[in-house]
mmCIF file of all heavy atoms in Angstrom:
data_model
loop_
_atom_site.group_PDB
_atom_site.id
_atom_site.type_symbol
_atom_site.label_atom_id
_atom_site.label_comp_id
_atom_site.label_asym_id
_atom_site.label_seq_id
_atom_site.Cartn_x
_atom_site.Cartn_y
_atom_site.Cartn_z
ATOM 1 N N HIS A 330 67.964 -41.435 -0.887
ATOM 2 C CA HIS A 330 68.488 -40.064 -0.917
ATOM 3 C C HIS A 330 69.387 -39.802 0.284
ATOM 4 O O HIS A 330 70.371 -39.072 0.203
ATOM 5 C CB HIS A 330 67.337 -39.053 -0.931
ATOM 6 C CG HIS A 330 66.505 -39.133 -2.181
ATOM 7 N ND1 HIS A 330 65.370 -38.388 -2.369
ATOM 8 C CD2 HIS A 330 66.653 -39.878 -3.301
ATOM 9 C CE1 HIS A 330 64.848 -38.679 -3.561
ATOM 10 N NE2 HIS A 330 65.612 -39.579 -4.132
ATOM 11 N N LEU A 385 88.040 -49.347 -6.621
ATOM 12 C CA LEU A 385 87.331 -50.408 -7.347
ATOM 13 C C LEU A 385 86.173 -50.953 -6.520
ATOM 14 O O LEU A 385 86.338 -51.231 -5.331
ATOM 15 C CB LEU A 385 88.270 -51.595 -7.578
ATOM 16 C CG LEU A 385 89.281 -51.511 -8.700
ATOM 17 C CD1 LEU A 385 90.068 -52.799 -8.783
ATOM 18 C CD2 LEU A 385 88.554 -51.246 -10.007
ATOM 19 N N VAL A 392 88.139 -56.369 -5.134
ATOM 20 C CA VAL A 392 87.940 -55.269 -4.184
ATOM 21 C C VAL A 392 88.901 -55.425 -3.001
ATOM 22 O O VAL A 392 89.049 -56.511 -2.456
ATOM 23 C CB VAL A 392 86.481 -55.231 -3.692
ATOM 24 C CG1 VAL A 392 86.316 -54.252 -2.535
ATOM 25 C CG2 VAL A 392 85.548 -54.857 -4.842
ATOM 26 N N ILE A 531 84.024 -27.195 -15.480
ATOM 27 C CA ILE A 531 84.596 -25.870 -15.224
ATOM 28 C C ILE A 531 84.649 -25.641 -13.709
ATOM 29 O O ILE A 531 83.914 -26.277 -12.948
ATOM 30 C CB ILE A 531 83.790 -24.738 -15.913
ATOM 31 C CG1 ILE A 531 82.313 -24.766 -15.489
ATOM 32 C CG2 ILE A 531 83.896 -24.852 -17.425
ATOM 33 C CD1 ILE A 531 81.515 -23.545 -15.952
ATOM 34 N N PRO A 597 89.565 -49.884 -40.660
ATOM 35 C CA PRO A 597 90.213 -49.101 -41.724
ATOM 36 C C PRO A 597 89.255 -48.697 -42.833
ATOM 37 O O PRO A 597 89.258 -47.569 -43.288
ATOM 38 C CB PRO A 597 91.282 -50.051 -42.248
ATOM 39 C CG PRO A 597 91.540 -51.002 -41.130
ATOM 40 C CD PRO A 597 90.258 -51.101 -40.336
#
Side-chain angles (χ1 to χ4, degrees):
H330 295 175
L385 281 182
V392 170
I531 56 171

